[in-house]
Amino acid sequence: MSSKERKKYNELLASVKQTERISDIEIEEKLKKLRRLIVLYGIPTSEPNLRPVVWKLLLKVHSLDSHQYLRLVSRGRSSVADKIRNDASRTLKSDGDFQAVVGEHKLIRLLDAFAWQTEERGDGESLYVQGMNVLAAPFLYVQPTELEAFNCFARFIELTCPLYVLPTLEGVHRGLRLVDKCLQIVDNKLYTHLRRHNLTAEIYAFPSVLTLSACTPPLDQVLCLWDFLLAFGPHMNVLCVIAQVLLMRDDLLATTSPMKLLRTFPPLDAQPIISIAVTLVRDIPEDVYDDLVRHCFDPRHEY
């Protein structure tokens, strides 16, 4: 990104942050421009304070209730505390930067607080399902405070992908079916080859769909990919998973044991994955793309 483009980026951010001075329509128009900049250039990593601001703007986290978070934290261990601690101990364990910046205790505290919040708002049961630990991790790593991370995480889960955290993981299983459906549309030869070896997305893509690709290192590339997913919606992760598979296409077609390659995806490289995913949108029929968009949040939508 040139200095001129960076200046434009910063001016746009400054204007979007002035939410009390502009209308909702103007805010949405400026957010559209911001999303376009993210696709074209990403978020400049040379300015470390930029990503946390952009994430909060994209999620529309404009206010923080510190008293509410402290009250939830003060309740201590939730009814799902054992599950949380078991998963937290494994979260990004091999990533030294994450362990140094976040560590296990912050992650446990945030997830316990979220469990208490869902219990108070719902039917008296705490919400915690497999994968939520990995979904919370990037917010804790990016945001400067635990309070900001909690609000971003809660907003992200409740607004954009609530079906991904149902006890049945309904949204995740919908996403996996869409990986198969969209792969068949964009590359029937590769899809047929995988099916010939009894490979469906349920078998090879479950972790990547469950965690919105945050399970695949390195973390810095996960954050770049999440810049894109927060800008355009977590449904785009389905196409990002397909993009990762397409980047392995030649090797997959050349082997009689494709699962050996798919068992562990190659290290994440966000920019080519995003470029391929954006290109794939043009090949997806309108009705299938509508399924894609809705699969994260609309329980009434059937396909």
Side-chain angles (χ1 to χ4, degrees), residues 233-248:
H235 64 279
M236 287 298 295
N237 182 59
V238 168
L239 298 183
C240 288
V241 171
I242 292 173
Q244 292 174 72
V245 174
L246 291 177
L247 287 168
M248 305 164 66

Side-chain angles (χ1 to χ4, degrees), residues 45-117:
T45 55
S46 58
E47 300 181 40
N49 296 325
L50 196 54
R51 178 172 278 136
V53 173
V54 172
W55 282 23
K56 280 183 289 203
L57 287 171
L58 292 171
L59 290 167
K60 299 180 181 178
V61 174
H62 302 309
S63 61
L64 303 169
D65 189 343
S66 58
H67 295 294
Q68 167 72 350
Y69 184 60
L70 289 172
R71 185 185 65 79
L72 292 169
V73 169
S74 71
R75 298 193 65 177
R77 290 172 61 94
S78 66
S79 61
V80 288
D82 289 341
K83 291 181 182 178
I84 287 172
R85 280 150 182 76
N86 186 48
D87 288 345
S89 67
R90 300 193 301 263
T91 305
L92 304 185
K93 202 64 181 177
S94 62
D95 191 291
D97 286 342
F98 176 80
Q99 295 303 323
V101 172
V102 178
E104 195 174 321
H105 297 300
K106 288 182 182 178
L107 182 58
I108 289 170
R109 192 161 49 232
L110 181 147
L111 292 172
D112 269 330
F114 185 75
W116 282 122
Q117 178 170 281

Side-chain angles (χ1 to χ4, degrees), residues 286-299:
E286 188 175 337
D287 60 329
V288 178
Y289 188 75
D290 186 55
D291 291 341
L292 196 63
V293 170
R294 292 175 177 272
H295 89 274
C296 303
F297 65 84
D298 189 351

Side-chain angles (χ1 to χ4, degrees), residues 22-301:
I22 58 178
S23 68
D24 290 343
I25 293 175
E26 288 175 307
I27 291 171
E28 284 304 318
E29 197 59 39
K30 290 178 184 297
L31 285 173
K32 283 182 184 178
K33 293 178 181 178
L34 179 59
R35 293 183 184 106
R36 183 171 180 273
L37 286 171
I38 288 170
V39 168
L40 290 175
Y41 309 114
I43 297 177
T45 55
S46 58
E47 300 181 40
N49 296 325
L50 196 54
R51 178 172 278 136
V53 173
V54 172
W55 282 23
K56 280 183 289 203
L57 287 171
L58 292 171
L59 290 167
K60 299 180 181 178
V61 174
H62 302 309
S63 61
L64 303 169
D65 189 343
S66 58
H67 295 294
Q68 167 72 350
Y69 184 60
L70 289 172
R71 185 185 65 79
L72 292 169
V73 169
S74 71
R75 298 193 65 177
R77 290 172 61 94
S78 66
S79 61
V80 288
D82 289 341
K83 291 181 182 178
I84 287 172
R85 280 150 182 76
N86 186 48
D87 288 345
S89 67
R90 300 193 301 263
T91 305
L92 304 185
K93 202 64 181 177
S94 62
D95 191 291
D97 286 342
F98 176 80
Q99 295 303 323
V101 172
V102 178
E104 195 174 321
H105 297 300
K106 288 182 182 178
L107 182 58
I108 289 170
R109 192 161 49 232
L110 181 147
L111 292 172
D112 269 330
F114 185 75
W116 282 122
Q117 178 170 281
T118 58
E119 181 176 314
E120 292 176 0
R121 291 181 178 178
D123 57 6
E125 290 189 10
S126 294
L127 174 63
Y128 179 78
V129 298
Q130 179 186 10
M132 285 177 69
N133 55 310
V134 183
L135 294 177
F139 293 110
L140 280 165
Y141 185 80
V142 166
Q143 294 300 329
T145 68
E146 213 173 295
L147 175 63
E148 289 165 288
F150 175 80
N151 279 270
C152 288
F153 171 70
R155 176 83 174 171
F156 178 68
I157 292 295
E158 294 164 359
L159 181 71
T160 68
C161 57
L163 298 186
Y164 270 55
V165 297
L166 291 178
T168 59
L169 299 179
E170 180 182 346
V172 176
H173 293 294
R174 285 184 177 192
L176 290 163
R177 290 195 294 273
L178 282 163
V179 170
D180 285 329
K181 191 171 188 176
C182 292
L183 179 60
Q184 185 176 20
I185 291 168
V186 302
D187 194 331
N188 186 57
K189 182 177 180 180
L190 179 56
Y191 170 80
T192 302
H193 177 70
L194 296 179
R195 287 306 301 262
R196 191 178 296 125
H197 291 87
N198 299 313
L199 289 178
T200 64
E202 285 275 357
I203 295 172
Y204 66 81
F206 181 83
S208 295
V209 173
L210 175 71
T211 66
L212 302 180
S213 296
C215 62
T216 305
L219 181 57
D220 67 318
Q221 293 301 301
V222 170
L223 301 182
C224 292
L225 187 64
W226 273 42
D227 295 339
F228 170 70
L229 296 179
L230 290 176
F232 291 92
H235 64 279
M236 287 298 295
N237 182 59
V238 168
L239 298 183
C240 288
V241 171
I242 292 173
Q244 292 174 72
V245 174
L246 291 177
L247 287 168
M248 305 164 66
R249 185 179 191 274
D250 291 345
D251 291 337
L252 288 169
L253 289 174
T255 182
T256 57
S257 302
M259 190 57 200
K260 289 183 179 179
L261 297 175
L262 292 169
R263 188 170 287 114
T264 303
F265 279 20
L268 210 61
D269 189 358
Q271 199 49 56
I273 291 169
I274 291 168
S275 298
I276 293 170
V278 170
T279 302
L280 292 178
V281 171
R282 296 178 298 189
D283 299 324
I284 305 298
E286 188 175 337
D287 60 329
V288 178
Y289 188 75
D290 186 55
D291 291 341
L292 196 63
V293 170
R294 292 175 177 272
H295 89 274
C296 303
F297 65 84
D298 189 351
R300 299 164 298 177
H301 189 64

